[in-house]
Amino acid sequence: MITAYAHINGKNQSIPLTRIGKSIAWVSLIAPTEEEIKSISEKFSIPLEHIHEALDEDLRSRVEFDGKVSAIYYKAPFKEEGDIITSGFGIFFINNVVLTVCKQKVASIDRLGKRVEEGRHSNLFKKGQVTMICRLIDYINNEYHTYIENLEDNVDLLEETKKLTKKSIAKSFDINRTLTYFHRAFIANLEVLRLLSRGYLPKHRKPEEIAQFEDAYNEVYQLLEMERIQREIVNNIFQLQTTAVSMEMNNVMKLFTVITVIMVVPTIITGSYGMNFQHIPLSDNPYGFLITNAFLILIAVVMFYVFKKNDWV
């Protein structure tokens, strides 16, 4: 799908490609067909391999400049079958046009497009390509921020779960996996913005442009810190829950051990009385049975007292 936006007749609006003139325009290419790829390649003189590379699932974040076309490959978050993952997309500078190429719809970019159609961001097309690109990156960073805030809520729910269950283990794994995706994306995006803020692109080295890239860099760095904190919290919660389960198991085993030890001495004594001898102590005493059982109970009570005093039970 191809959508083009420009500021025409005093307002932002969606336009056909044929109406793109000398003013700054934004062309969004989402899940394109081969025919659409060829038409974009021919109209803006972009090599086909550049566009195909932006649609690659294993796209690596980076900045490229071949003398005519400047390209930024950036990582953005999106949902796939309920899971939150990251995927790369391409941003190309061609004369007065900013071209974004995505293999699938990215919510943050789609949201910016809708707001442009609604007439918001009236200055988006007046301040240059860098302003537009930084606004795109800002929307993507806000999307990351929203996802991390949602993960924080899930972490709070996980923290309230005092016992380690299969459900809590699965939840911890899902959160950690998402944070891992984010961590890799943030590291790659930081490197892209670091290059841009150091004037890697020859045509975009103005102080105000460098300042915008630096602001975007700082935002991503803050996201990286938020991700790191959430990862530590999740790991700490999991370790605490695991420790609690181990302590509970140890207490159960300790109780069984104490009961076993207390029963050993009475078992030995009663076993001795079970031997087939003619003369056994208290065998002729009418109170022998009661005396023996009282003695066994006394031994058990004394042993329990000793264990209790030493805080073993």
Side-chain angles (χ1 to χ4, degrees):
M1 181 178 68
I2 302 175
T3 309
Y5 306 94
H7 188 79
I8 297 177
N9 298 327
K11 63 178 181 178
N12 298 339
Q13 54 184 297
S14 175
I15 61 172
L17 292 179
T18 53
R19 291 192 62 188
I20 294 178
K22 295 182 179 180
S23 60
I24 293 177
W26 169 29
V27 178
S28 176
L29 189 61
I30 300 175
T33 63
E34 195 61 35
E35 184 178 347
E36 290 174 333
I37 293 174
K38 289 181 179 179
S39 66
I40 290 293
S41 175
E42 292 173 359
K43 182 170 181 60
F44 299 113
S45 301
I46 302 176
L48 283 173
E49 56 269 22
H50 283 24
I51 299 178
H52 283 296
E53 192 170 9
L55 298 171
D56 187 0
E57 290 183 355
D58 300 322
L59 178 66
R60 180 174 56 86
S61 297
R62 63 189 186 278
V63 183
E64 290 184 350
F65 177 68
D66 63 2
K68 293 183 179 180
V69 179
S70 301
I72 299 173
Y73 299 104
Y74 203 79
K75 292 280 188 179
F78 70 96
K79 282 189 176 182
E80 183 180 62
E81 297 179 355
D83 294 329
I84 305 172
I85 61 175
T86 60
S87 180
F89 73 99
I91 305 174
F92 299 93
F93 302 70
I94 316 100
N95 298 323
N96 61 310
V97 175
V98 173
L99 170 67
T100 56
V101 181
C102 313
K103 185 175 182 179
Q104 51 195 317
K105 182 182 290 186
V106 177
S108 49
I109 297 177
D110 185 60
R111 188 179 302 113
L112 177 59
K114 290 179 179 178
R115 291 184 178 179
V116 168
E117 288 183 347
E118 293 170 357
R120 303 185 190 182
H121 306 304
S122 57
N123 294 326
L124 186 63
F125 297 92
K126 299 178 182 180
K127 294 185 177 181
Q129 291 174 313
V130 171
T131 298
M132 182 179 295
I133 290 169
C134 286
R135 182 56 61 90
L136 279 167
I137 291 175
D138 183 56
Y139 266 71
I140 292 169
N141 291 341
N142 287 340
E143 190 78 9
Y144 275 120
H145 193 277
T146 300
Y147 279 130
I148 291 178
E149 285 185 339
N150 292 336
L151 289 175
E152 286 180 7
D153 294 336
N154 291 333
V155 170
D156 291 339
L157 293 175
L158 189 65
E159 193 172 5
E160 294 174 1
T161 306
K162 297 181 180 180
K163 291 186 177 181
L164 190 65
T165 62
K166 291 183 179 179
K167 186 176 180 180
S168 65
I169 292 174
K171 196 67 177 178
S172 297
F173 176 78
D174 290 340
I175 294 174
N176 255 322
R177 180 177 57 184
T178 300
L179 291 174
T180 299
Y181 290 145
F182 284 5
H183 181 81
R184 293 174 180 174
F186 294 155
I187 294 296
N189 290 346
L190 277 175
E191 180 61 20
V192 167
L193 293 170
R194 184 186 67 82
L195 292 173
L196 293 173
S197 63
R198 293 187 178 183
Y200 185 84
L201 297 178
K203 296 182 179 180
H204 301 285
R205 292 176 176 172
K206 296 178 181 178
E208 59 271 20
E209 294 176 333
I210 296 298
Q212 291 183 73
F213 287 133
E214 288 177 347
D215 289 341
Y217 178 92
N218 292 332
E219 289 178 5
V220 177
Y221 187 81
Q222 290 176 4
L223 289 171
L224 181 64
E225 284 298 303
M226 291 175 63
E227 175 272 328
R228 181 185 61 80
I229 292 171
Q230 290 306 311
R231 184 198 297 270
E232 289 181 357
I233 292 174
V234 172
N235 290 335
N236 289 339
I237 291 173
F238 184 77
Q239 290 177 1
L240 286 173
Q241 290 178 339
T242 304
T243 302
V245 171
S246 298
M247 290 180 63
E248 187 176 346
M249 181 63 69
N250 288 338
N251 290 334
V252 172
M253 295 303 297
K254 186 189 294 185
L255 179 61
F256 285 152
T257 302
V258 168
I259 293 173
T260 302
V261 171
I262 290 175
M263 294 299 296
V264 165
V265 175
T267 301
I268 293 174
I269 295 174
T270 54
S272 299
Y273 271 83
M275 297 180 182
N276 294 321
F277 292 108
Q278 292 182 353
H279 302 288
I280 296 178
L282 301 176
S283 60
D284 297 329
N285 192 318
Y287 300 104
F289 178 78
L290 295 176
I291 294 173
T292 303
N293 280 281
F295 181 69
L296 296 177
I297 293 173
L298 178 62
I299 292 175
V301 170
V302 170
M303 293 183 69
F304 181 80
Y305 173 77
V306 172
F307 290 144
K308 188 70 175 178
K309 186 177 181 180
N310 288 277
D311 199 25
W312 293 346
V313 291

